[in-house]
Amino acid sequence: MFEGRRQILLLFFIIIGLVFLGKLFFLQVIDDSYEKAADNNAIRKIIQIPFRGEVYDRHNKLIVYNTPVYDLYITPRKAHVRDTLQFCQLFGITRAYFDSTCKQAKIYSRVKPYLFLKHLSKEDFARVQDAMVDFPGFTFTTTAFRTYQSKAFSNALGYVAEINSNSLQTQKDDYYRQGDYVGVSGIESFYEEDLRGQRGVKYRMVNSNGVEKGDFKEGRLDIQPIAGKNLYTGVDIRLQEYADSLMQHKVGSVVAIEPATGEILTMVSAPSYDPSLLAGRNFSKYYQDLALDPMKPLLNRPPSAYYRPGSTFKLIQALVGLQLGIITPGSVFTHAGAPVKCHSHNTSHNDLHNAIQWSCNPYFYHAFRKILYEDTQGNTYERSAQGLQRWSELVANFGFGRKLGVDLGNEKKGILPNVEYYNKVYKGENTWKFSNIYSLSIGEGELVVNPLKMANVAAIIANRGWYIPPHLVKAIGDNKVVDPFYKTPVSVGIDSKHFGVVIEGMKDAVLHGTVGGDGKIPDIVMCGKTGTSQNAKGEDHSVFIAFAPKDNPKIAIAVFVENAGFGGFAAAPIASLIIEKYLKGKVDRKAVEEKFMNKSYLPNVLSVTGPRPSKTKKDTLK
C-alpha cells in the first residue's frame, strides 16, 4: 500500500518538474517577449520629425522654408532631476513652469514622452547637450519652424501651430502626437497631408544611466523620415509684395488671376500680419494680440469677406440679358421711370455700350425688369418669380451663391437670392415682385460676393465665357503633380459672341468713362468696370474689376478698398498700378504710385469692417 502511494507522489513531482521545465524552455527559447522588454529597457526609440515641404512662387523663388530646432521631451516614469535650480537655469525657465509642465506630463501619461520645451536653437542644444547626462528621462527630437522670406502673402499662406486636443483625438490616421505641429489655415492647412511628410524612427542603445551608446543593430531597423512635398504656387511674390505695399493703411482685398490657367498671381488681404510672429515659442502671445485686433488681420478677406458687388455686377446683367435674347447691343433705355439715379453722361444714345462705359443705373434697372417679365405668364408676382428663376440659374454659372473650389479652406459661397430665398424672406409664395428686388439690377440689395469671385468674373470675361477654377498651388512635389480639377475649363453658358460689346464698353470705361485719370495705363489697353458697394456702417466701398491687355489677356484683377467711396477713386488706380507692374515689370506713373502708398491719402478707410448686408426688401440706391 505504501509502495503504491510513493509511486503516485513520485509521478506527481515528475509531472510538476516537466511542467516547469517546459515553461522554462518556452520562456527562454520560444517566447521573445522578455527579450523585447529587456531590449526596450536598453533601447531608446527616437521619433524623427520630417522637414515640412517648402513653398515656392511661380518663378521658383523660395517663399517659405524650415529652420532646424530642437524640442525637449520628458518621460515622467524615467525622469529624475536632482538639482531643479540647475535645470531651470540651464534652460532659462522658471520653477513654476518646471512644476506645472511636469504635472501636465504625468496627467498625460507616465510612460509616454510629453513636450517639455520647444524650439531650442542649434546653439542652445549644443550648450545643454553635455549636461543632459545628469537629467535622465529627458530627450531631444529634431524639428523645424517655418521661416519666411517675405512678410507678404501671410493670410493666403496660413500658419502652423501645435495640434489641439480635439484634433488630436479626432484624427483619422493616428499620425500626430501631442506637441506636433499642423497647418491651421490657408494652403498650410489645405495641403497638410502633402506638406507634413512621413516621420521616421531611430533606435539608440543606452546604458543604465540613460547615456546613448550607439545605434541599435547598426541602424538596420531605423526608418528614415521623408520630407514633405514642396508646393509650387502660381503667385508672383514680387507682385504680391507690391500689391501689399499699395494696400498698407487700408482695409480690403486684391486678387489677380492669370485668365488662361486660373493661377492666382497675387492675393492680398489688408490689414495683414508678419507671419514670423506666429512661428516659434511666442505663438500664443502674438496670436492673442492678432485675434483681438478689431481690424481682423487674421481674416483672409479675398475668399471670406462679404461685399455687395455694386456696379461691377452690371457686366453680368448685360451678359445674361444678351444670352436670353431679352436685350441686344442696340437696346436703348431712357432714365424715365427709374427710381435709381445715374451718373451724368450723354443720354441721347444710351445703348448697352454706353451704359457700361458710364455705369448707367437706370439702363440696368429697365434691363433687369425686362429680363424678369418678358416671356413670362401670370400675374405680376408669378411673373417675377418665373423671371428671377431663369435669371438666377444663369448668374449662378458665374460662381455666385456657390464655391469656386479654390484651394483654401475658408472660401464662402456668398448669397445669390433666388425664388426660394425671397419666399422665405417675405414668408410665402406670391408675396414679392420686381419692385421689391430691383436693387439687384445694379449689384446691391441681398446680393453678396467675395473679392475672389469678382476677380474670377474678370477672368471669365477676359476668356469670353469660361474659366479654370482659381487656385494658388499649380504643382505639388518633385513630380509636379497637378489636381485635374485645376486644369479643367468651366463654361458659364454664355455664347462668346455676346462678350464683344461688354468688353468694348469696359475698354471705354477706362479710356473715357468712369475710371478717371489715375486709372489709365499708358501703352496698355485695360478693360475695366468700377463699382461702389454700399455700406450701412460708413463710407461706401470702392470696387474695381479689370483685365489686360484687351487682346490675349495676361491678368484679371479685382480690388476692394473699404470705406474709400467711388470705384474710380481708389480701387481702379490701385488695380491699374498692379497691372502695369505685372505687364511692364515696372511702374512709370510714380506720382500715382506715391499717392496710394501715402497713408494719409485715404483717411476714412481704417474703419472696422461691418457685418453682411441685412435682408431688407429694398435699399436706398444712389
Side-chain angles (χ1 to χ4, degrees), residues 12 20 50 53 60 129 203 210-211 243 248 311 333 370 474 490 551 553 559 578 584 587 591 600:
F12 175 75
F20 275 104
N60 290 325
Q129 190 174 22
Y203 297 95
V211 178
Q248 292 296 309
S311 292
F333 296 105
K370 192 173 183 181
K474 64 177 183 178
V490 179
D551 299 316
V559 176
I578 295 170
K584 290 184 175 181
V587 172
S600 62

Side-chain angles (χ1 to χ4, degrees), residues 520-542:
K520 298 177 183 179
I521 314 172
D523 305 323
I524 294 177
V525 180
M526 179 178 70
C527 302
K529 181 71 188 73
T530 56
T532 306
S533 176
Q534 291 187 5
N535 174 29
K537 293 201 169 186
E539 295 292 327
D540 291 339
H541 305 318
S542 179

Side-chain angles (χ1 to χ4, degrees), residues 342-616:
C342 188
H343 308 286
S344 298
H345 68 96
N346 182 9
T347 60
S348 61
H349 184 65
N350 195 28
D351 60 7
L352 181 57
H353 176 280
N354 281 0
I356 293 173
Q357 177 182 353
W358 295 103
S359 195
C360 180
N361 288 336
Y363 186 98
F364 289 97
Y365 168 87
H366 290 299
F368 184 51
R369 188 177 188 277
K370 192 173 183 181
I371 290 171
L372 260 59
Y373 286 153
E374 191 160 308
D375 298 330
T376 58
Q377 298 179 349
N379 60 38
T380 302
Y381 297 99
E382 293 172 343
R383 296 175 66 196
S384 295
Q386 294 169 18
L388 186 69
Q389 181 63 34
R390 66 180 181 183
W391 172 87
S392 62
E393 289 173 357
L394 279 175
V395 174
N397 291 341
F398 287 83
F400 285 71
R402 62 179 63 168
K403 293 184 178 181
L404 293 171
V406 67
D407 47 351
L408 292 168
N410 57 348
E411 182 188 2
K412 299 292 174 53
K413 295 191 300 182
I415 300 174
L416 173 60
N418 55 19
V419 174
E420 182 181 1
Y421 178 93
Y422 283 118
N423 286 345
K424 289 181 180 179
V425 171
Y426 290 91
K427 297 180 172 47
E429 298 180 2
N430 297 327
T431 55
W432 54 271
K433 55 185 177 178
F434 171 76
S435 61
N436 301 113
I437 63 172
Y438 69 79
S439 55
L440 296 178
S441 64
I442 58 172
E444 295 292 345
E446 295 78 23
L447 187 67
V448 175
V449 298
N450 59 48
L452 172 65
K453 205 177 299 290
M454 295 311 300
N456 195 58
V457 168
I460 291 169
I461 299 173
N463 290 333
R464 277 68 169 174
W466 59 272
Y467 69 96
I468 291 177
H471 52 285
L472 289 161
V473 174
K474 64 177 183 178
I476 304 172
D478 294 337
N479 295 328
K480 303 296 178 68
V481 176
V482 180
D483 188 335
F485 178 74
Y486 297 123
K487 287 292 184 181
T488 306
V490 179
S491 172
V492 298
I494 304 292
D495 296 338
S496 60
K497 64 182 180 181
H498 296 311
F499 286 85
V501 63
V502 172
I503 291 171
E504 288 298 322
M506 293 173 69
K507 181 192 73 173
D508 285 341
V510 174
L511 295 177
H512 315 291
T514 59
V515 170
D518 285 346
K520 298 177 183 179
I521 314 172
D523 305 323
I524 294 177
V525 180
M526 179 178 70
C527 302
K529 181 71 188 73
T530 56
T532 306
S533 176
Q534 291 187 5
N535 174 29
K537 293 201 169 186
E539 295 292 327
D540 291 339
H541 305 318
S542 179
V543 184
F544 184 68
I545 69 172
F547 64 87
K550 175 177 175 288
D551 299 316
N552 192 22
K554 301 297 184 183
I555 181 172
I557 194 169
V559 176
F560 284 66
V561 184
E562 295 187 14
N563 310 115
F566 178 60
F569 180 68
I574 290 173
S576 72
L577 289 168
I578 295 170
I579 289 175
E580 183 178 6
K581 180 74 170 180
Y582 182 69
L583 295 179
K584 290 184 175 181
K586 62 178 183 176
V587 172
D588 296 324
R589 297 173 296 151
K590 294 300 180 182
V592 179
E593 182 181 67
E594 291 173 5
K595 181 190 297 185
F596 285 92
M597 287 187 178
N598 187 340
K599 66 179 180 180
S600 62
Y601 179 64
L602 300 173
N604 297 321
V605 299
L606 291 178
S607 302
V608 179
T609 303
R612 72 172 65 183
S614 59
K615 298 176 182 178
T616 56

Side-chain angles (χ1 to χ4, degrees), residues 237-258:
I237 194 63
R238 291 173 296 182
L239 187 69
Q240 177 79 23
E241 291 170 342
Y242 181 71
D244 190 69
S245 68
L246 291 171
M247 291 299 291
Q248 292 296 309
H249 315 294
K250 303 174 184 67
V251 179
S253 303
V254 175
V255 182
I257 299 173
E258 185 178 60

Side-chain angles (χ1 to χ4, degrees), residues 33 62 93 157 162 241 271 277 318 386 411 451 481 615:
S33 60
L62 187 62
I93 61 175
L157 178 65
E162 186 175 337
E241 291 170 342
L277 297 179
Q386 294 169 18
E411 182 188 2
V481 176
K615 298 176 182 178

Side-chain angles (χ1 to χ4, degrees), residues 139-158:
T139 56
F140 287 99
T141 61
T142 303
T143 182
F145 68 81
R146 298 301 246 176
T147 306
Y148 304 89
Q149 294 279 29
S150 172
K151 293 182 180 181
F153 194 47
S154 55
N155 293 86
L157 178 65

